[in-house]
Amino acid sequence: QNLAVEVGDPNAPNSTINPSAADFDKKESEQSDVTTTVALNGNELIRITNGAAALTAGTDYTIADNEVAIKKEYLAAQPLGTTNLTFSFSGGAARTLAVTIKDTTTRNSAVNPPTISFDKKQSVQADVSTTMELRGNQL
């Protein structure tokens, strides 16, 4: 068994992130990395986690000139709602980036076949039917 112990200095200055909230749209044409500026205040960024899962530097996020970019590929894989990413530092308090994940992709329903003929003549009348694909919508 392993026991993870995090040692910190309660007197260490806190690091900050700005902004601490952002939006991400899963619609493909709207996707972009989410960025936040980190003021380290003498600390180092140790890790970023989503719950118990650690993000991978260079894959899930990048750091350049005190700007952290959470990659769009990582965010697109998250469920709709709020994803809270915790930034842990070598000293001071952790900070949370709350990313609201939405999807404004238009999902038009479809019917197949799209056109059907109906003959009013009594002797040839028959029911008509079509198949519907709701694609997340309701009739």
Side-chain angles (χ1 to χ4, degrees), residues 42-102:
N43 298 310
E44 292 179 38
L45 178 62
I46 302 297
R47 72 182 151 278
I48 301 174
T49 56
N50 180 355
L55 279 69
T56 303
T59 302
D60 300 329
Y61 69 96
T62 58
I63 304 170
D65 299 325
N66 291 338
E67 184 172 270
V68 175
I70 309 298
K71 304 305 281 181
K72 65 183 180 180
E73 294 81 5
Y74 176 81
L75 294 169
Q78 302 309 304
L80 298 178
T82 302
T83 295
N84 290 307
L85 302 176
T86 303
F87 289 57
S88 297
F89 301 94
S90 58
R95 297 293 179 217
T96 300
L97 174 63
V99 182
T100 301
I101 310 288
K102 61 184 179 178

Side-chain angles (χ1 to χ4, degrees), residues 6-7 13 17 20-21 25 28 39 43 50 65 71 79 82 97 102 112 118 125 130 132:
E6 190 167 319
V7 178
I17 61 172
S20 59
D25 193 340
E28 218 167 293
N43 298 310
N50 180 355
D65 299 325
K71 304 305 281 181
T82 302
L97 174 63
K102 61 184 179 178
N112 190 24
F118 179 79
Q125 285 183 2
T130 187
M132 294 188 322

